[in-house]
Amino acid sequence: MSITIIYSTPSSTAALNSSFVSLPTTLTSISYKLLSSSPPHRPFRLRTTLPPPILCASSSLSVSDMDATGGQSLYPLHRTKTLHLVRHAQGIHNVEGEKDHDAYLSYDLFDANITPLGWKQVDNLRKHVHACGLSKRIDLVVVSPLLRTMQTAVGVFGGEAYTDGINVPPLMAANTGKSGRPAMSSLNSPPFVAVELCREHLGLHPCDKRRSITEYRPLFPAVDFSLASNLSLLIENDDDILWMPDIRERDEEVAARGQKFLKWLWTRKEKEIAIVSHSGFLFHTLSAFGNDCHPSVKSEICTHFANCELRSVVIIDRSMIGSDSSTTNYPGKIPSGLDLPSD
């Protein structure tokens, strides 16, 4: 029997059907936070008060109750997904914005690429996911369609350096974003899908404006931008029509978009998914969770991500959003026989 602790119950309508839970002991070791000499990330300020928590019946306990009982709950394994959340590596906008916050308004930082230090962060995280075995378990990589996130995703979860003669498209072309990096192969790597829903705050900051999909495709040939024609949740326009030069998306709008993104994940058959996104998006999406948990668990969920930090969580489907049946459950009584319980 596997018992998990409820991480959270979101309060928005779109998220009422999901919760985050802590990972089993064997998986918690893959949490990763890179410490580097780069300056700390400038924190975003949450401009709205979080709504009152909605407690699920199995965990509507006070902190003192949870101290006594552990706040434990059970969920069927096939109604969960494991998410490995990653913030992109250090970008040129992080460096310039730390020096002067007004630099975020500069078009010199349009669709910011990652820095040489950022590539070192990528290399270190890649070593980590291989050392802990995570690289072999990922079924899908979902990535925000900006240069810095796609560079990070490919560098961490992609194949080895591209070799001519192998009949697979590269995940990333050589020297993409003036990186000086060789092409990265898609051989033996999970599929990569670009999704608009997990972008950073939209508007005002040119570093958060993406290029056209036409420009991206030759840079990231094996990244899937094509589902856009069928799903408005993904990339539905070649140009970036979501980014506005004079309006910045509000925190609560980012949070709502995050819940929509999590709901979309339940339409996917993959069970273990890596998501490479941004500080603001991850922070405001996760802030909806953990209100019914011990404060230390809430803090563990809702702190800002460092550049190239990895956190692994489990999300729960509590109301049949997902339709997958269990691959491990077994009905028993084969062959049939008497089985009256002794009690």
Side-chain angles (χ1 to χ4, degrees):
M1 186 188 316
S2 174
I3 297 178
T4 53
I5 301 172
I6 291 181
Y7 250 163
S8 61
T9 303
S11 53
S12 69
T13 302
L16 284 175
N17 302 320
S18 299
S19 293
F20 279 117
V21 302
S22 62
L23 285 170
T25 303
T26 54
L27 292 184
T28 53
S29 62
I30 63 179
S31 296
Y32 176 85
K33 182 172 183 178
L34 184 100
L35 299 177
S36 71
S37 58
S38 58
H41 172 64
R42 182 184 300 275
F44 288 87
R45 293 187 180 276
L46 186 63
R47 293 192 290 266
T48 58
T49 303
L50 287 172
I54 298 177
L55 303 178
C56 60
S58 57
S59 63
S60 54
L61 305 170
S62 67
V63 171
S64 60
D65 289 333
M66 285 192 285
D67 287 342
T69 68
Q72 300 174 71
S73 296
L74 283 170
Y75 290 91
L77 179 63
H78 66 284
R79 303 208 178 278
T80 68
K81 289 182 186 290
T82 302
L83 307 182
H84 303 285
L85 308 173
V86 178
R87 181 191 173 198
H88 63 79
Q90 185 194 68
I92 58 172
H93 65 304
N94 298 133
V95 176
E96 297 305 317
E98 186 65 32
K99 298 175 185 175
D100 178 6
H101 192 265
D102 288 341
Y104 286 120
L105 300 173
S106 172
Y107 277 85
D108 291 339
L109 302 178
F110 166 67
D111 193 17
N113 56 279
I114 63 178
T115 65
L117 185 142
W119 278 111
K120 292 179 182 178
Q121 295 172 340
V122 167
D123 291 339
N124 286 332
L125 180 53
R126 181 183 181 86
K127 291 175 185 176
H128 172 75
V129 300
H130 280 266
C132 71
L134 177 58
S135 59
K136 297 179 180 179
R137 299 201 305 270
I138 298 294
D139 301 317
L140 176 71
V141 178
V142 177
V143 59
S144 164
L146 274 82
L147 183 57
R148 60 189 181 271
T149 42
M150 291 191 286
Q151 286 178 316
T152 301
V154 168
V156 172
F157 298 108
E160 301 301 328
Y162 185 73
T163 302
D164 290 337
I166 298 178
N167 191 26
V168 294
L171 274 168
M172 186 178 75
N175 199 36
T176 292
K178 300 179 181 179
S179 64
R181 292 275 170 141
M184 294 291 296
S185 174
S186 59
L187 188 66
N188 298 322
S189 71
F192 283 64
V193 178
V195 178
E196 295 269 37
L197 279 176
C198 62
R199 287 176 60 175
E200 185 57 289
H201 284 76
L202 299 167
L204 198 61
H205 295 171
C207 60
D208 298 325
K209 178 176 172 61
R210 69 163 171 82
R211 301 166 199 266
S212 70
I213 302 307
T214 299
E215 292 177 87
Y216 279 145
R217 280 200 167 102
L219 299 177
F220 300 95
V223 174
D224 186 358
F225 301 98
S226 66
L227 296 179
S229 59
N230 297 318
L231 292 174
S232 61
L233 299 179
L234 303 180
I235 311 295
E236 64 176 346
N237 287 280
D238 188 60
D239 293 322
D240 187 0
I241 64 170
L242 300 176
W243 187 91
M244 300 295 176
D246 54 352
I247 301 174
R248 185 73 168 166
E249 190 177 21
R250 299 192 308 272
D251 293 344
E252 56 268 29
E253 293 172 324
V254 176
R257 177 158 56 85
Q259 301 312 318
K260 190 175 181 181
F261 171 73
L262 294 176
K263 190 173 182 179
W264 171 78
L265 287 177
W266 287 110
T267 70
R268 302 290 309 192
K269 67 181 186 300
E270 296 87 1
K271 303 297 288 184
E272 196 148 352
I273 302 173
I275 297 160
V276 183
S277 185
H278 308 264
S279 174
F281 176 82
L282 292 170
F283 177 76
H284 293 297
T285 298
L286 297 181
S287 289
F289 294 91
N291 295 308
D292 57 347
C293 297
H294 191 282
S296 63
V297 178
K298 172 70 175 179
S299 176
E300 185 178 349
I301 298 169
C302 301
T303 55
H304 284 282
F305 279 64
N307 283 130
C308 232
E309 180 180 351
L310 163 68
R311 290 182 208 165
S312 298
V313 297
V314 172
I315 189 170
I316 292 170
D317 173 14
R318 296 190 294 129
S319 66
M320 307 290 286
I321 300 176
S323 59
D324 291 344
S325 59
S326 173
T327 59
T328 58
N329 288 358
Y330 183 76
K333 209 171 181 177
I334 301 173
S336 181
L338 300 177
D339 62 353
L340 183 67
S342 62
D343 56 356

